[in-house]
Amino acid sequence: MAAGEVAAAGSAEQFQQLLQQKDGSLVVVHFWAPWAPQCAQMNEVMAALAKEHMQVTFVKLEAEAVPEVSEKYGISSVPTFLFFKNSQKIDRLDGAHAPELTKKVQRHASSSSVSAGSNDSAKEDLNVRLKKLINAAPCMLFMKGSPKEPRCGFSKQIVEILNKHGISFSSFDIFSDEEVRQGLKTYSNWPTYPQLYVAGELIGGLDIVKELEASGELDTVCPKAQKLEDRLKILINKAPVMLFMKGSKQMAKCGFSKQIIEIMNSTGVDYETFDILEDEEVRQGLKTYSNWPTYPQLYVKGELVGGVDIVKVRMGESCWRCKLTICFKL
């Protein structure tokens, strides 16, 4: 198979051969069916991604034609995408979600390029990521689904308890990332979900939360809900120059965020960033608060400057506060 092409696995043997990449690089497998139009669309997305990510192996496997593989990995609907490294499944995506597929490929491919073939480095990278997620908010709930749409009874119950007590929390859907789902069990030495963390420390699951509620300790252990508007004001003013983007300075996760990071770095100005992909409440709330529907968003002294197009225009205006630089050097 030539680089930049999508391979076809017509048998279990071919599938196994394609998984065995000597450099431990990422393999993305699309379980598809010819009768499903959404699969045809996602095959086109795969073809485009294959040209963009030459170091990744992309495979399409007709689910009903190779049933032993489909059954082994619990494929019950198409399209379904599985992600592998070193022949081990690390992530999964169900459904025709092109943006989410692109995001997962970018993230896993990036980690492969940094630590390909090194299990120790991969484990270290995962632990760093888990620590960051656990500390993404003062109170973090790792659950199945989202607070608005829990996907298991235990997750639904714990959300109801937290909401009843007016507790401020952010959440992470462990169904959205198989690597996090499996890795957090080992990291926290807690084998089930949901898992509740406060200030980066594991509180426990549903039973523990129920015990804390019964004893009256829950309200003292968990932070009370802060109004979203107040939280946004604090975030916007966290630094003189704040950039709300997809990803971070080190790894932008969309083209527009990458462009604005390059512009900001060229000014030599100190600035901080907030990854809106890590907090859905902030991601949606800031659009309304600022009356600006897209990201990235740049703020100076708590005031919205705009997105990448506005920054580009103003960088080109020699009379506008010395091309932003003086404006930023506060």
Side-chain angles (χ1 to χ4, degrees), residues 286-303:
L286 193 58
K287 294 178 184 179
T288 303
Y289 180 88
S290 63
N291 195 27
W292 194 272
T294 59
Y295 290 99
Q297 294 183 17
L298 180 67
Y299 292 78
V300 175
K301 288 185 175 179
E303 296 293 328

Side-chain angles (χ1 to χ4, degrees), residues 143-144 147 150-161 194 206:
M143 61 180 292
K144 296 179 180 179
R151 295 175 64 182
C152 82
F154 298 128
S155 293
K156 182 179 180 181
Q157 289 181 59
I158 201 168
V159 166
E160 288 173 348
I161 292 172
L206 176 62

Side-chain angles (χ1 to χ4, degrees), residues 243-255:
L243 176 63
F244 292 81
M245 60 178 289
K246 295 179 181 179
S248 64
K249 291 182 184 180
Q250 293 74 28
M251 186 184 297
K253 294 183 178 179
C254 81

Side-chain angles (χ1 to χ4, degrees), residues 17-301:
Q17 289 173 2
L18 288 165
L19 288 188
Q20 294 168 2
Q21 298 298 311
K22 294 181 180 179
D23 59 357
S25 58
L26 178 65
V27 180
V28 182
V29 183
H30 177 200
F31 289 81
W32 72 293
W35 44 263
Q38 63 269 34
C39 288
Q41 295 170 359
M42 294 307 292
N43 275 334
E44 293 179 3
V45 174
M46 285 264 288
L49 288 171
K51 293 177 181 178
E52 183 178 348
H53 300 277
M54 307 287 279
Q55 78 278 24
V56 178
T57 301
F58 290 88
V59 180
K60 60 180 182 180
L61 184 149
E62 190 176 336
E64 293 171 347
V66 195
E68 60 270 38
V69 175
S70 298
E71 290 173 7
K72 177 180 179 180
Y73 291 100
I75 306 301
S76 58
S77 63
V78 292
T80 293
F81 298 86
L82 298 185
F83 301 75
F84 294 85
K85 285 182 185 175
N86 297 309
S87 298
Q88 299 296 315
K89 180 168 71 95
I90 60 168
D91 206 347
R92 177 182 180 125
L93 175 64
D94 294 284
H97 306 294
E100 186 67 17
L101 175 63
T102 302
K103 184 172 72 173
K104 285 179 178 287
V105 169
Q106 289 173 340
R107 178 164 60 79
H108 290 305
S110 176
S111 63
S112 291
S113 63
V114 172
S115 56
S118 173
N119 291 330
D120 290 340
S121 296
K123 184 176 181 180
E124 182 179 351
D125 289 345
L126 176 59
N127 285 342
V128 169
R129 183 167 175 243
L130 292 174
K131 186 175 181 180
K132 181 180 178 183
L133 284 172
I134 288 167
N135 289 278
C139 186
M140 276 294 297
L141 177 64
F142 292 80
M143 61 180 292
K144 296 179 180 179
S146 67
K148 291 184 178 179
E149 295 183 2
R151 295 175 64 182
C152 82
F154 298 128
S155 293
K156 182 179 180 181
Q157 289 181 59
I158 201 168
V159 166
E160 288 173 348
I161 292 172
L162 295 176
N163 286 337
K164 182 173 70 174
H165 286 261
I167 290 168
S168 173
F169 69 98
S170 294
S171 67
F172 185 92
D173 180 3
I174 52 112
F175 280 148
S176 70
D177 195 313
E178 188 68 17
E179 187 177 42
V180 170
R181 180 181 182 178
Q182 300 303 329
L184 193 58
K185 294 178 184 179
T186 303
Y187 182 91
S188 62
N189 195 28
W190 194 271
T192 59
Y193 290 99
Q195 294 182 16
L196 183 68
Y197 293 77
V198 173
E201 297 293 328
L202 175 67
I203 300 299
L206 176 62
D207 290 341
I208 300 296
V209 170
K210 283 183 174 179
E211 290 176 8
L212 290 172
E213 182 186 31
S215 68
E217 295 177 78
L218 186 63
D219 291 325
T220 58
V221 170
C222 298
K224 286 291 185 179
Q226 181 184 46
K227 289 183 179 179
L228 178 59
E229 183 174 340
D230 292 338
R231 186 175 174 222
L232 294 175
K233 284 181 180 177
I234 291 171
L235 285 173
I236 288 168
N237 289 280
K238 185 179 177 183
V241 182
M242 276 296 297
L243 176 63
F244 292 81
M245 60 178 289
K246 295 179 181 179
S248 64
K249 291 182 184 180
Q250 293 74 28
M251 186 184 297
K253 294 183 178 179
C254 81
F256 297 122
S257 293
K258 183 179 179 182
Q259 289 179 51
I260 202 166
I261 284 290
E262 291 172 349
I263 294 172
M264 297 297 294
N265 289 342
S266 73
T267 67
V269 170
D270 291 330
Y271 65 99
E272 291 194 24
T273 63
F274 184 92
D275 183 359
I276 53 101
L277 296 177
E278 298 286 357
D279 194 315
E280 190 65 19
E281 183 182 46
V282 171
R283 180 179 185 177
Q284 300 304 328
L286 193 58
K287 294 178 184 179
T288 303
Y289 180 88
S290 63
N291 195 27
W292 194 272
T294 59
Y295 290 99
Q297 294 183 17
L298 180 67
Y299 292 78
V300 175
K301 288 185 175 179

